[in-house]
Amino acid sequence: VIMRVQISFIILVYIGVLFLNLMRFNSYITQTTLLSDLTLNKYSIEKTALDEVDLFYPEFTTNLIPKSTLIARYYLHYKDFDKAINYGIRGVESNPYLAYTNYLMARIYIEKNNLPKGFEYMKEAYRLSPNIESIKAPYDILNQLIKD
């Protein structure tokens, strides 16, 4: 009886490991597209397919950008600001030390004509990475606009 329980337990663990590996494999396929599009400034996933991207496991891409941040980038492109904000907030919560997500959130709010909220996120992006010119330049401009 003990031997059967041990074998059953080993089989269950093996099935769980297989399932997690399948999820990770499927995630890597999606990540390749998301990261390639980010690098090439492309949008090769249709808006209707974005909600099907599994954000659960693993949440992070191979370079620690949350998948939700990359999905927010698509929704910004498609001008669906509410979904972009929701995914962006999840990205900030997943990795609060990443300047890119805050920068992206700033862009979303700027597109919505909400400069104060955009500046709030840009200020955080600048705090995290003050030497990145693509963050510093818009930060300086927004800072000047908010002061005026």
Side-chain angles (χ1 to χ4, degrees):
V1 173
I2 293 175
M3 184 68 134
R4 282 187 179 163
V5 170
Q6 288 176 338
I7 291 173
S8 296
F9 178 74
I10 290 170
I11 290 172
L12 282 174
V13 168
Y14 185 72
I15 289 171
V17 169
L18 282 175
F19 179 70
L20 290 175
N21 284 331
L22 177 64
M23 288 177 67
R24 188 174 328 162
F25 175 76
N26 288 336
S27 175
Y28 287 147
I29 292 170
T30 305
Q31 286 181 42
T32 302
T33 303
L34 293 171
L35 292 171
S36 174
D37 282 0
L38 176 64
T39 303
L40 300 173
N41 197 30
K42 291 174 40 181
Y43 300 89
S44 59
I45 299 176
E46 295 294 324
K47 182 180 178 184
T48 55
L50 291 174
D51 286 331
E52 297 172 18
V53 174
D54 180 16
L55 300 176
F56 175 67
Y57 180 81
E59 163 65 12
F60 297 104
T61 59
T62 54
N63 63 359
L64 295 181
I65 298 175
K67 285 189 281 185
S68 51
T69 296
L70 298 174
I71 298 300
R73 175 183 169 270
Y74 279 87
Y75 280 120
L76 171 61
H77 172 74
Y78 292 123
K79 306 288 187 210
D80 189 337
F81 300 120
D82 292 334
K83 283 192 174 184
I85 289 169
N86 288 336
Y87 280 94
I89 288 171
R90 181 174 175 167
V92 169
E93 290 170 351
S94 295
N95 187 352
Y97 308 105
L98 182 66
Y100 177 71
T101 307
N102 286 285
Y103 166 79
L104 184 65
M105 289 295 290
R107 286 185 46 208
I108 294 166
Y109 280 107
I110 291 166
E111 285 275 330
K112 284 187 71 167
N113 292 317
N114 187 340
L115 291 183
K117 192 73 170 173
F119 180 66
E120 198 177 298
Y121 278 101
M122 190 62 75
K123 187 164 49 172
E124 180 62 11
Y126 180 75
R127 185 188 71 75
L128 292 167
S129 295
N131 297 324
I132 297 176
E133 192 59 36
S134 60
I135 291 175
K136 184 181 181 324
Y139 169 79
D140 289 341
I141 292 168
L142 280 172
N143 193 23
Q144 191 61 43
L145 287 172
I146 297 295
K147 284 182 180 177
D148 290 344

